[in-house]
Structures are given as C-alpha cells and as structure tokens.
Amino acid sequence: MAATRAIAIASNSACSLITKKPFVGGTSLRLNNLKFCRTTRRRSYTCRAIYNPQFVVNEEGQPETLDYRVFFLDKSGKKVSPWHDIPLRLGDDVFSFIVEIPKESSAKMEVATDEPFTPIKQDTKKGKLRYYPYNIHWNYGLLPQTWEDPSSANPEVEGALGDNDPVDVVEIGESRRKIGEVLKIKPLAALAMIDEGELDWKIVAISLDDPKASLVNDVNDVEKHFPGTLTAIRNWFRDYKIPDGKPANKFGLGNQAANKDYALKVITETNESWNKLVKRSIPAGELSLV
C-alpha cells in the first residue's frame, strides 16, 4: 500500500531538471557536489539527500508535448509516486515540497493524480497543452501525502468542498527551482482560494536554503521581508483565469492570508484526509493510489 512506502528525503538537495528545449548531446554539470546528467532522449537526475538514500527523477518524452512525463524512481530503479511515496514531514514544522512549476514560467505542470505512479506532466484541456496567460512569479508545486477531500465541506471557508488534489505550495525564495526538485520548506501562511466553488489551499512557504529563510517564520515576517508578496500572490491567483473569459477566483478567511499556525492546521487535516484515501476509507474514484 502506498501509505506504507516512503523515501527518506531531506533537502537542501537539488534534483531533476527540464527545460523548454531538449538537451543536445550528452553532458554533465557538477554543482555543490551534486551531478546533473544530461542526455538527448531520456534524462535522469540523481538526488542524494543528507540522510544518504537516493532517488532519481526520470524524464520520458520531450518537454511541451502530450506524452512528456517526469517519473520518480527509487535507488533500485523502481518507479514510485511523488504524491504518495515522498514523506511529508521532515522535522518540526518542516516539510517536503515538490516543484511542479518553476518561477517565471507558464507551462501548467502538475502531478497526474489519475495515472500510475503519478508522474508530473503538463495539464491539458480539450487535448491541448495548457499554459498560464502569464508567468507565475514564484516556485509552485505540492505537498506530498496531502489531499483536499472533495466530499468534505469546510465550515470555515464558506462550506467549500476540497478540489480532489494535493495541497499547493507557493515558494517565495529568490532561486528559480527545477521541475521535480524536492525542497525542504517551512510554511509561513495560507490562502483559502475558492475556485469555481472548490477549496484550493495555497500554502505560502520558503525553502530552508534561501538566504532569507532564517528571517521569516510567520505571516507578518513575509510582509516585512517580502513586502507586497502576499497581495501579489492573492491577486495573481485571483485573476489568472480572467483572460480565458472566466470569473475571478475568490478567497475565504476574510480575503486575508492566515498565519503559520493555521497553515500547519491545513497541512495536518489534509494529511489525515490522504491517509484515509490510501487506506481506502474514502473512495478513490479515478485517483491512482500506486
């Protein structure tokens, strides 16, 4: 069962890379004692954590095509799920964060929750690849081992039901991360986005290896050291569907970012929902539990 498997991961590790153009030739780059291997067709990247286990992020297909997938492999070469098999908790108020969309990019990448081993792929609509109408300005991805239950109404957020996905993270650090990279982050705030009636939490966080990480520990610190960022995040997610002719998204909790303690509560509750899901206490529907 997915709930019984885990890969011991700790960051500040750098893992996996895709670019908008395929790599040419076979090269390697060594950075901070981590080796990134580049090949022309199928690309694999090893991530070595400080606890010494390994996993590999393996690209299949070409970026920005319908068949492109980023799979996660354990050190034996077996496929594992970034959603189910990467541990959520890494210590006191420290969590794993899997990058789906690097900052200053627009391809709408996401974990394929309905495919075996839940690889990262580019989202589609009517058979066409999806892009945001403009770049997202922060690293964006998910918290593993979390799930927003679509059968559970949240009384604190207008009774909205969960969106059937892992919890999203907006990582505000200065570095542009890579698709498939796993970071060690600490939550700072939470935004309760309501997207067409569904609750879609956005956890605002920072990677522990960011130069400002020691300065920010709660929502007020974000405004002090990253002035205007919380408003910019809320406005970006509020408005990004408008160019496609859809209404603006709404936000609960008084349209304000909740503090760190509230963010931790959201993570705990959605982790509990995920546990029920993988134990089959809640019907999975089309979701893959492999």
Side-chain angles (χ1 to χ4, degrees):
M1 184 185 298
T4 65
R5 299 193 304 271
I7 304 169
I9 298 168
S11 61
N12 313 314
S13 55
C15 15
S16 100
L17 169 65
I18 72 168
T19 64
K20 290 210 168 190
K21 297 181 180 179
F23 294 126
V24 178
T27 62
S28 65
L29 170 65
R30 188 172 293 276
L31 176 65
N32 294 334
N33 296 319
L34 298 171
K35 189 175 183 181
F36 298 86
C37 300
R38 301 181 178 181
T39 59
T40 50
R41 291 188 178 181
R42 185 174 289 191
R43 295 170 291 279
S44 299
Y45 308 94
T46 300
C47 174
R48 186 180 298 274
I50 60 174
Y51 298 128
N52 201 34
Q54 293 182 350
F55 69 94
V56 172
V57 179
N58 187 62
E59 297 178 78
E60 297 184 6
Q62 293 296 334
E64 298 190 82
T65 64
L66 292 173
D67 62 347
Y68 181 72
R69 297 293 186 275
V70 179
F71 284 97
F72 287 63
L73 283 63
D74 66 16
K75 57 185 178 182
S76 71
K78 180 182 177 182
K79 286 181 178 178
V80 294
S81 166
W83 180 21
H84 300 309
D85 295 321
I86 291 178
L88 171 64
R89 301 179 187 277
L90 298 176
D92 292 340
D93 299 344
V94 177
F95 302 88
S96 296
F97 160 56
I98 302 166
V99 180
E100 295 169 305
I101 305 173
K103 68 189 299 184
E104 303 307 334
S105 65
S106 63
K108 193 175 186 303
M109 309 298 295
E110 64 179 15
V111 163
T113 58
D114 60 347
E115 296 184 11
F117 305 108
T118 64
I120 297 173
K121 69 171 186 177
Q122 189 166 349
D123 191 20
T124 59
K125 184 176 183 179
K126 296 181 179 179
K128 295 184 179 180
L129 297 172
R130 292 186 66 189
Y131 294 85
Y132 290 124
Y134 30 72
N135 285 351
I136 188 168
H137 307 306
W138 311 273
N139 298 299
Y140 188 58
L142 73 141
L143 287 173
Q145 299 183 349
T146 62
W147 179 57
E148 299 187 50
D149 183 355
S151 68
S152 177
N154 191 313
E156 297 178 0
V157 189
E158 302 180 18
L161 302 173
D163 71 348
N164 203 32
D165 281 325
V167 171
D168 297 324
V169 171
V170 183
E171 195 276 318
I172 62 174
E174 68 177 20
S175 297
R176 185 179 189 269
R177 304 296 185 163
K178 305 176 183 74
I179 295 177
E181 191 170 355
V182 181
L183 304 177
K184 184 183 283 187
I185 56 100
K186 58 180 177 180
L188 305 169
L191 286 162
M193 191 176 92
I194 303 172
D195 182 355
E196 299 182 19
E198 295 181 336
L199 179 55
D200 187 2
W201 288 106
K202 308 299 179 188
I203 301 297
V204 181
I206 192 166
S207 177
L208 294 192
D209 64 352
D210 188 83
K212 290 186 178 181
S214 63
L215 302 176
V216 285
N217 294 292
D218 211 328
V219 62
N220 294 331
D221 298 327
V222 178
E223 192 58 38
K224 180 178 179 181
H225 296 283
F226 295 84
T229 295
L230 291 172
T231 298
I233 292 171
R234 185 188 64 214
N235 291 351
W236 194 97
F237 283 100
R238 181 193 65 194
D239 298 340
Y240 81 90
K241 290 187 175 182
I242 293 176
D244 293 331
K246 294 185 177 182
N249 290 319
K250 300 190 300 179
F251 288 85
L253 304 181
N255 209 38
Q256 299 297 315
N259 64 14
K260 175 182 178 177
D261 285 344
Y262 201 98
L264 293 174
K265 180 171 83 80
V266 170
I267 295 170
T268 296
E269 290 174 351
T270 54
N271 176 242
E272 291 171 353
S273 295
W274 172 84
N275 271 294
K276 293 176 182 177
L277 176 70
V278 296
K279 292 176 180 177
R280 276 70 170 182
S281 299
I282 298 175
E286 296 182 356
L287 297 176
S288 173
L289 302 184
V290 177

